[in-house]
């Protein structure tokens, strides 16, 4: 398999040029829908989605650009505003209470990667991996698409539920000791149990262990599996050491 690049392309010339090409879609002429999501701690997210579709023959359409304007509020007070391009605005549903005493809001500005906002200081960190090898006309290759975030305060580990290319659902685990400069080396539960199961769901952090549900669609089978915190930390350190 082509080697995965952890290089952060956020803020690069190529990324900035892509964003400027997409920015036109944030316009009432391309309005698609609006919505609101309630979070914890009195926070809420308001989003407005814009979609530029080109109609083709036989009722087909091609999306030329899609973007969203998102506002994070706390008890109606505007806390932070950002834009997301390349995919719709649906995001995460909670505020992370970190061991360091700060609170963090996880979000996307692009399809891949993840961003974290310290809602107490308004410091923000963006990460978009270069990913796997890709064509030069794309800003990055494919990587893991994150749907849900699950932080364990005791261990400072974080579990991401999401999918790889081809809709392979997985749980990826990493170190979250430094949220605004987090380590992107993630351990894949799919890789660990690949010989037995084909999809994974996060269940819970409990008793110094990570619990996941493993599914075998062909056998219509679902079983619970666990990995200890120590095992996960060892695997993460091995990834870092090998430079993968």
């Amino acid at each position: 398999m082509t080697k995965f690049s952890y290089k952060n392309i956020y803020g690069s010339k190529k990324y900035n040029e892509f964003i400027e090409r997409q920015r036109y879609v944030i316009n009432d002429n391309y309005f698609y829908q609006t919505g609101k999501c309630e979070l914890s701690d009195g926070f809420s997210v308001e989003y407005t989605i814009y979609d530029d579709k080109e109609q083709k023959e036989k009722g087909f359409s091609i999306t030329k650009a899609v973007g969203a304007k998102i506002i994070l509020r706390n008890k109606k007070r505007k806390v932070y505003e950002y834009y997301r391009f390349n995919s719709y605005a649906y995001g995460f549903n909670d505020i992370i209470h970190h061991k360091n005493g700060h609170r963090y809001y996880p979000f996307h500005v692009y399809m891949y990667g993840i961003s974290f906002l310290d809602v107490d200081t308004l410091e923000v960190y963006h990460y978009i991996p270069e990913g796997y090898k890709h064509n030069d006309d794309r800003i990055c290759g494919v990587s893991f698409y994150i749907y849900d975030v699950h932080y364990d305060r005791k261990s400072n580990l974080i579990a991401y539920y999401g999918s790889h290319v081809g809709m392979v659902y997985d749980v990826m685990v990493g170190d979250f000791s430094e949220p605004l400069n987090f380590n992107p080396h993630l351990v894949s539960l799919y890789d660990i149990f690949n010989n037995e199961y084909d999809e994974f769901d996060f269940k819970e952090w409990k008793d110094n262990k990570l619990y996941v549900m493993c599914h075998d669609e062909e056998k219509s089978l679902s079983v619970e599996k666990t990995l200890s915190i120590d095992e996960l930390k060892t695997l993460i350190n091995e990834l870092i050491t090998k430079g993968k």
Side-chain angles (χ1 to χ4, degrees):
M1 179 180 287
T2 305
K3 187 175 181 180
F4 184 88
S5 171
Y6 288 96
K7 179 182 177 181
N8 188 358
I9 62 135
Y10 179 85
S12 65
K13 180 180 178 181
K14 199 169 187 178
Y15 174 80
N16 291 337
E17 289 174 347
F18 165 80
I19 294 301
E20 288 306 312
R21 291 196 301 270
Q22 301 292 304
R23 197 175 296 278
Y24 79 91
V25 78
I26 307 297
N27 185 293
D28 289 343
N29 293 330
Y30 304 113
F31 173 82
Y32 178 66
Q33 69 180 46
T34 187
K36 182 177 180 180
C37 179
E38 298 292 339
L39 309 180
S40 59
D41 291 19
F43 287 91
S44 63
V45 171
E46 299 172 0
Y47 58 86
T48 305
I49 300 174
Y50 304 87
D51 196 343
D52 179 13
K53 289 185 181 294
E54 180 181 355
Q55 297 299 319
K56 295 292 186 179
E57 296 180 0
K58 299 180 181 180
F60 291 101
S61 64
I62 296 177
T63 296
K64 298 169 65 177
V66 61
K69 176 181 177 180
I70 301 114
I71 298 175
L72 176 68
R73 296 187 184 276
N74 191 345
K75 299 177 181 178
K76 298 184 178 180
R77 179 180 61 88
K78 181 177 173 180
V79 175
Y80 187 71
E81 177 180 304
Y82 63 98
Y83 296 89
R84 175 174 175 177
F85 294 97
N86 193 244
S87 57
Y88 290 122
Y90 315 115
F92 310 113
N93 297 321
D94 214 344
I95 300 293
I96 295 173
H97 288 244
H98 198 272
K99 192 174 184 178
N100 66 13
H102 288 247
R103 297 174 297 171
Y104 298 92
Y105 167 63
F107 62 100
H108 286 302
V109 294
Y110 184 71
M111 182 175 182
Y112 298 120
I114 194 167
S115 300
F116 291 98
L117 170 73
D118 184 325
V119 299
D120 299 306
T121 67
L122 299 186
E123 294 178 276
V124 65
Y125 178 80
H126 302 285
Y127 175 72
I128 299 173
E130 188 174 36
Y132 290 106
K133 185 177 180 180
H134 55 91
N135 297 328
D136 289 338
D137 60 344
R138 297 174 59 186
I139 65 169
C140 66
V142 296
S143 56
F144 187 63
Y145 185 84
I146 300 170
Y147 301 149
D148 288 320
V149 175
H150 305 275
Y151 170 65
D152 179 48
R153 188 183 177 94
K154 291 182 178 180
S155 66
N156 259 339
L157 295 185
I158 193 164
Y160 302 99
Y161 167 69
S163 65
H164 301 281
V165 63
M167 300 305 288
V168 175
Y169 295 96
D170 195 1
V171 175
M172 304 277 282
V173 182
D175 175 41
F176 199 59
S177 300
E178 299 180 54
L180 298 184
N181 191 25
F182 81 105
N183 192 317
H185 293 76
L186 306 176
V187 171
S188 164
L189 273 293
Y190 183 89
D191 286 346
I192 294 173
F193 298 118
N194 192 24
N195 293 330
E196 303 174 66
Y197 307 98
D198 46 33
E199 289 188 6
F200 300 86
D201 288 319
F202 173 86
K203 184 178 180 182
E204 63 181 336
W205 294 103
K206 184 180 178 181
D207 300 328
N208 293 315
K209 294 179 182 179
L210 169 65
Y211 289 76
V212 295
M213 295 304 299
C214 309
H215 309 289
D216 186 324
E217 289 190 347
E218 184 176 338
K219 298 179 181 178
S220 297
L221 176 68
S222 294
V223 298
E224 181 183 272
K225 289 280 190 178
T226 66
L227 280 172
S228 72
I229 298 299
D230 288 341
E231 288 176 300
L232 289 166
K233 287 185 175 182
T234 297
L235 290 170
I236 293 168
N237 287 333
E238 288 176 357
L239 282 179
I240 297 171
T241 301
K242 293 177 181 177
K244 292 185 177 180

